[in-house]
């Protein structure tokens, strides 16, 4: 399947509305309560201040009339003050309740969105992990995922501001219909200008994903302990700092220039708003002087006009921050709809009698280069098979095909007689262990956890755990750790009692990874240069123990003759083709590709 095209289209207004509705839908599915809380909150946050202003205006009018000696005005003023106080208490109580409920709901929402995205990422078709277009899509999706809750809060602020703006227009219309229309007209220039600014910034962001990624990666690499020695040795510090600044300028400086282009327009919109506010206040003043409106209407109009204009600015400012994320939402939706790794329905219920590679040819998706050409081999239950060849010959690619991460372009791979395209990959993976040269370290876990993570589907077995450490020759160095197997394998982690973790050597890490694989105790073991950091003598002892387990099917890729020569059968791969096969003795006698490959070790 072809990778997704890079989307260069700009979001239309219709797409923006659809995106906003999509945000609400995602929120409702992930955490239903947060949507209802946000709607109620936005309504109360908009209406309560207007109601408070209304009663404040009535209070001012009654106080004026009471001052002039009008009977009963003082009692009404006190009554309005009490109503205003009650509204204040309601507003304060709701604010505290909303803070708690909102925080709880946002936590649920953030966790749900993040988990859904991570699950989708780990289930994608395997070729996408090497695809640049998918990486771009993932960058945008991560941005959406990481800031979804803040974007939802921004959406809530927009809703609050819109309700506040509409409420202000309606409230002014009760004083004078043309004041309401005037306020509505006044906010249009500011909204249009901010909308255009938002679009310009969003378009710029979409066009600079790669430069931002480069700057971020350089910054990350400059702070990695594993990178510092080489960077300083080669004198790359200043060069890389300047290179990061170059990419950063391409992104940040252009954004500043975009802001500068809109300064004049924003000033024009502000002047219009100021003129409208002055006109409204002069009109109310004249009406009060002419005894057409009560005195309190001045306070009411002044507060409502100010609130209406403030709501408009809030809407415009929110659009600046949210429009970019709405564009990322489109990427998020696309990402979440990407096809997952296909898997057949036939389950593997027992150890496969054989693993057969039948005339397999393979090219990576979206690449015409042929990596494997008509490869045929058979691995029977209990056999030890070695696959050898120079770097780039196709050995690791063959392992990915055996595991079902990729499907052959031509030919078939059968596990227990079932093609991998029809096999339940989950049940196949449950019976296989894979250990590669770059082993995975769980630095946030103890040494013991790094072993037992090999099999979390079954209850912990002390017997298997001890046996795995012994087989990997890891028991000795684990016993010497500060807290033995309860020691973290990263010096940046520390135990509850303050004992710091340790930094393991490459060989120790590989032994721990080997122990994890042995603890898994799988039927099939695939080893892809897993002992490159372990000395040859220790490797020979480890493999000797492995060979005593006759019930295991072992496929190993290695450049060490001491390991390869023990195999029941050896396959030599050159340029993606099997050019020789046989036992060590047979291949040495042929003095062909195998002999040439290991001549120095022979």
């Amino acid at each position: 399947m072809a990778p997704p095209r890079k989307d260069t289209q700009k979001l239309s207004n219709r797409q923006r509305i659809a995106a906003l509705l999509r945000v609400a839908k995602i929120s409702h599915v992930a955490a239903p309560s947060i949507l209802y809380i946000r709607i109620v909150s936005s309504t109360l946050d908009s209406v309560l201040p207007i109601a408070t202003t209304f009663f404040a205006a009535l209070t001012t009018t009654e106080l004026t009339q009471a001052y002039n000696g009008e009977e009963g005005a003082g009692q009404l003023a006190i009554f309005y003050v009490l109503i205003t106080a009650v509204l204040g208490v309601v507003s304060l109580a709701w604010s505290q309740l909303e803070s708690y409920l909102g925080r709880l709901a946002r936590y649920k929402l953030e966790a749900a969105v993040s988990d859904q995205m991570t699950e989708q990422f780990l289930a994608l078709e395997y070729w996408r992990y090497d695809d640049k277009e998918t990486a771009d899509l993932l960058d945008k999706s991560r941005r959406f995922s990481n800031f979804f809750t803040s974007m939802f809060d921004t959406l809530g602020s927009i809703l609050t501001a819109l309700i506040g703006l509409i409420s202000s227009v309606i409230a002014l219309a009760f004083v004078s219909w043309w004041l309401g229309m005037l306020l509505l007209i006044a906010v249009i220039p500011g909204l249009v200008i901010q909308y255009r600014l938002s679009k310009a910034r969003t378009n710029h962001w979409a066009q600079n994903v790669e430069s931002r990624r480069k700057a971020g990666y350089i910054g990350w690499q400059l702070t990695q302990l594993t990178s510092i020695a080489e960077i300083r040795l080669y004198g790359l510090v200043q060069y890389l700092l300047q290179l990061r600044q170059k990419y950063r300028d391409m992104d940040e400086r252009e954004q500043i220039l975009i802001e500068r282009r809109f300064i004049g327009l924003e000033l024009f919109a502000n002047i219009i708003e100021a003129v409208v506010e002055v006109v409204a206040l002069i009109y109310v003043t004249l009406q009060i002087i002419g005894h057409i409106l009560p005195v309190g209407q001045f306070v009411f109009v002044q507060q409502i006009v100010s609130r209406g204009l403030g709501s408009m600015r809030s809407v415009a400012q929110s659009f600046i921050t949210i429009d970019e994320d709405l564009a990322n939402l489109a990427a998020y939706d696309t990402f979440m709809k990407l096809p997952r790794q296909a898997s057949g329905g036939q389950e593997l219920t027992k150890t496969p009698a054989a693993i057969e590679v039948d005339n397999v040819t393979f090219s990576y998706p979206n690449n015409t280069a042929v990596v494997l050409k008509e490869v045929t081999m058979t691995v029977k239950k209990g056999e030890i098979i070695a696959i050898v060849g120079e770097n780039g010959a196709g050995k690791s690619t063959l392992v990915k095909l055996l595991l079902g991460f990729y499907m052959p372009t031509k030919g078939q791979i059968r596990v227990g007689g079932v093609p991998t395209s029809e096999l339940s990959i989950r049940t196949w993976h449950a019976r296989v262990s894979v250990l590669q040269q770059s082993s995975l370290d769980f630095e946030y876990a103890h040494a013991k956890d790094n072993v037992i993570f090999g099999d979390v589907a079954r209850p912990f077995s002390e017997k298997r755990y001890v046996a795995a450490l012994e087989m990997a020759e890891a028991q000795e160095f684990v016993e010497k750790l500060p807290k033995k197997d309860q020691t973290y394998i990263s010096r940046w982690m520390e135990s509850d009692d303050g004992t710091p973790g340790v930094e393991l050597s490459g060989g120790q890490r590989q032994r721990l990874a080997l122990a994890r694989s042995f603890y898994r105790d799988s039927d099939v073991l695939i080893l892809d240069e897993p002992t490159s950091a372990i000395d040859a003598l220790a490797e020979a002892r480890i493999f000797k123990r492995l060979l005593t387990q006759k019930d295991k099917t072992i496929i190993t890729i290695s450049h060490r003759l001491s390991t390869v020569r023990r195999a029941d059968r050896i396959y030599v791969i050159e340029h993606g083709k099997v050019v020789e096969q046989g036992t060590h003795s047979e291949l040495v006698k042929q003095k062909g590709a195998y002999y040439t490959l290991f001549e120095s070790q022979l």
Side-chain angles (χ1 to χ4, degrees):
M1 184 178 295
R5 286 187 305 107
K6 191 171 184 177
D7 187 6
T8 57
Q9 294 183 342
K10 302 174 183 178
L11 283 178
S12 65
N13 291 332
R14 185 174 180 180
Q15 288 173 319
R16 283 182 174 84
I17 294 173
L20 288 171
L21 293 175
R22 176 73 177 133
V23 170
K25 183 178 180 181
I26 293 173
S27 304
H28 183 265
V29 172
S33 60
I34 193 173
L35 188 61
Y36 305 132
I37 291 173
R38 187 72 262 185
I39 292 173
V40 172
S41 175
S42 296
T43 303
L44 290 178
D45 288 346
S46 303
V47 174
L48 284 176
I50 292 177
T52 302
T53 301
F54 174 73
F55 284 104
L58 291 178
T59 302
T60 302
T61 298
E62 296 302 325
L63 282 174
T64 303
Q65 292 174 348
Y67 182 79
N68 293 327
E70 185 170 330
E71 187 177 351
Q75 289 83 352
L76 275 176
I78 293 173
F79 176 69
Y80 291 145
V81 168
L82 292 175
I83 292 178
T84 304
V86 169
L87 289 174
V89 171
V90 170
S91 178
L92 181 61
W94 169 250
S95 176
Q96 292 176 333
L97 179 62
E98 180 202 21
S99 177
Y100 164 72
L101 294 176
R103 183 163 187 163
L104 177 63
R106 281 194 297 273
Y107 165 73
K108 292 171 61 178
L109 179 61
E110 183 177 346
V113 171
S114 177
D115 289 350
Q116 288 169 8
M117 183 176 168
T118 303
E119 183 181 357
Q120 168 70 357
F121 174 71
L122 294 174
L124 291 178
E125 296 169 311
Y126 202 80
W127 66 267
R128 290 189 179 274
Y129 301 126
D130 298 318
D131 178 62
K132 180 183 179 299
E133 299 297 339
T134 302
D136 288 343
L137 194 62
L138 178 62
D139 273 356
K140 295 179 181 180
S141 301
R142 275 182 179 149
R143 184 178 176 87
F144 170 82
S145 176
N146 291 339
F147 296 99
F148 181 81
T149 52
S150 61
M151 187 182 73
F152 183 81
D153 286 340
T154 304
L155 181 60
S157 300
I158 291 176
L159 181 61
T160 301
L162 285 176
I163 295 176
L165 179 59
I166 294 171
S167 301
S168 297
V169 171
I170 294 174
L172 279 179
F174 279 102
V175 178
S176 173
W177 68 268
W178 74 267
L179 278 181
M181 292 300 298
L182 188 65
L183 176 61
L184 193 60
I185 293 171
V187 302
I188 291 176
L191 285 173
V192 171
I193 291 167
Q194 293 298 333
Y195 173 73
R196 289 176 57 190
L197 174 60
S198 175
K199 285 183 66 176
R201 293 182 61 177
T202 301
N203 294 337
H204 168 75
W205 187 91
Q207 294 165 5
N208 284 272
V209 171
E210 190 159 336
S211 59
R212 214 168 15 255
R213 182 189 299 142
K214 289 178 180 177
Y217 186 79
I218 292 172
W220 173 83
Q221 192 175 59
L222 286 171
T223 59
Q224 297 305 297
L225 296 179
T226 54
S227 308
I228 291 174
E230 189 165 344
I231 288 174
R232 292 180 62 174
L233 182 64
Y234 289 156
L236 289 173
V237 174
Q238 290 302 318
Y239 177 83
L240 291 178
L241 285 173
Q242 292 170 7
L243 188 61
R244 182 177 66 167
Q245 186 61 45
K246 170 188 171 184
Y247 292 128
R248 196 159 48 191
D249 285 349
M250 292 170 64
D251 183 31
E252 299 291 342
R253 183 177 293 178
E254 181 59 30
Q255 289 193 46
I256 295 172
L257 293 177
I258 290 172
E259 298 277 355
R260 189 172 70 181
R261 290 201 299 268
F262 281 83
I263 289 177
L265 293 173
E266 289 179 307
L267 178 61
F268 171 73
N270 290 336
I271 291 173
I272 291 178
E273 294 169 14
V275 169
V276 167
E277 188 169 4
V278 170
V279 168
L281 292 177
I282 290 174
Y283 168 79
V284 173
T285 301
L286 293 174
Q287 294 292 300
I288 292 173
I289 292 173
H291 299 286
I292 299 173
L293 293 175
V295 174
Q297 292 295 343
F298 182 88
V299 175
F300 183 71
V301 171
Q302 189 272 332
Q303 289 291 321
I304 294 301
V305 170
S306 178
R307 180 167 294 278
L309 293 175
S311 295
M312 182 281 298
R313 296 188 191 100
S314 179
V315 170
Q317 189 61 40
S318 296
F319 265 114
I320 290 178
T321 59
I322 202 172
D323 205 48
E324 200 173 275
D325 290 321
L326 291 181
N328 294 333
L329 172 60
Y332 174 83
D333 271 338
T334 302
F335 177 80
M336 293 301 291
K337 292 174 183 176
L338 290 178
R340 295 193 171 197
Q341 182 77 43
S343 178
Q346 191 159 341
E347 296 192 353
L348 190 65
T349 58
K350 59 182 180 179
T351 304
I355 302 169
E356 302 165 279
V357 181
D358 185 7
N359 202 33
V360 164
T361 296
F362 177 73
S363 297
Y364 281 99
N366 312 304
N367 195 326
T368 57
V370 178
V371 182
L372 296 174
K373 306 172 187 175
E374 301 174 350
V375 173
T376 296
M377 61 176 64
T378 300
V379 184
K380 296 179 181 179
K381 179 181 177 180
E383 280 191 324
I384 301 170
I385 299 299
I387 303 173
V388 301
E390 295 182 347
N391 293 332
K395 305 184 298 298
S396 295
T397 297
L398 180 57
V399 170
K400 293 175 184 177
L401 288 168
L402 290 172
L403 293 171
F405 290 141
Y406 292 99
M407 295 298 152
T409 306
K410 294 180 181 178
Q412 274 189 347
I413 293 180
R414 294 183 293 273
V415 178
V418 181
T420 50
S421 58
E422 302 174 13
L423 186 66
S424 168
I425 299 300
R426 176 185 55 81
T427 60
W428 167 219
H429 288 174
R431 293 186 172 273
V432 64
S433 294
V434 181
L435 190 58
Q436 298 175 309
Q437 183 173 351
S438 299
S439 58
L440 183 61
D441 301 317
F442 301 96
E443 296 189 343
Y444 49 83
H446 300 133
K448 182 177 182 178
D449 289 334
N450 269 266
V451 175
I452 65 177
F453 278 2
D455 185 9
V456 295
R458 292 183 288 176
F460 170 70
S461 168
E462 183 71 26
K463 182 179 179 181
R464 277 194 295 144
Y465 171 66
V466 173
L469 287 176
E470 291 178 350
M471 185 172 290
E473 295 197 358
Q475 193 171 36
E476 183 178 350
F477 85 80
V478 168
E479 286 294 321
K480 293 180 181 178
L481 295 176
K483 290 180 68 68
K484 299 186 178 180
D485 64 3
Q486 295 299 305
T487 305
Y488 284 104
I489 62 168
S490 169
R491 59 181 171 179
W492 301 110
M493 302 291 294
E494 63 178 33
S495 303
D496 293 338
D497 62 2
T499 303
V502 298
E503 201 70 30
L504 300 181
S505 68
Q508 289 172 331
R509 288 179 181 273
Q510 284 195 341
R511 290 173 195 265
L512 213 55
L514 274 171
R516 179 164 63 244
S517 184
F518 296 152
Y519 179 78
R520 186 173 176 82
D521 196 26
S522 301
D523 302 328
V524 181
L525 191 59
I526 299 177
L527 306 173
D528 188 356
E529 296 281 5
T531 54
S532 57
I534 299 175
D535 64 86
L537 290 176
E539 182 195 53
R541 292 194 300 270
I542 292 170
F543 272 91
K544 185 177 180 181
R545 295 189 188 98
L546 270 176
L547 297 181
T548 62
Q549 299 182 334
K550 296 299 182 182
D551 59 330
K552 303 290 184 185
T553 302
I554 300 174
I555 302 173
T556 181
I557 297 173
S558 179
H559 289 95
R560 285 184 177 175
L561 184 62
S562 59
T563 299
V564 173
R565 68 190 305 163
R566 300 174 182 273
D568 297 318
R569 190 163 55 261
I570 302 168
Y571 290 91
V572 184
I573 296 181
E574 276 189 355
H575 307 297
K577 296 188 70 173
V578 175
V579 294
E580 290 179 0
Q581 60 175 295
T583 65
H584 168 74
S585 300
E586 291 169 348
L587 294 177
V588 169
K589 289 178 182 178
Q590 291 181 23
K591 291 198 174 181
Y594 178 81
Y595 182 85
T596 302
L597 191 63
F598 290 99
E599 185 175 5
S600 61
Q601 296 184 56
L602 286 169

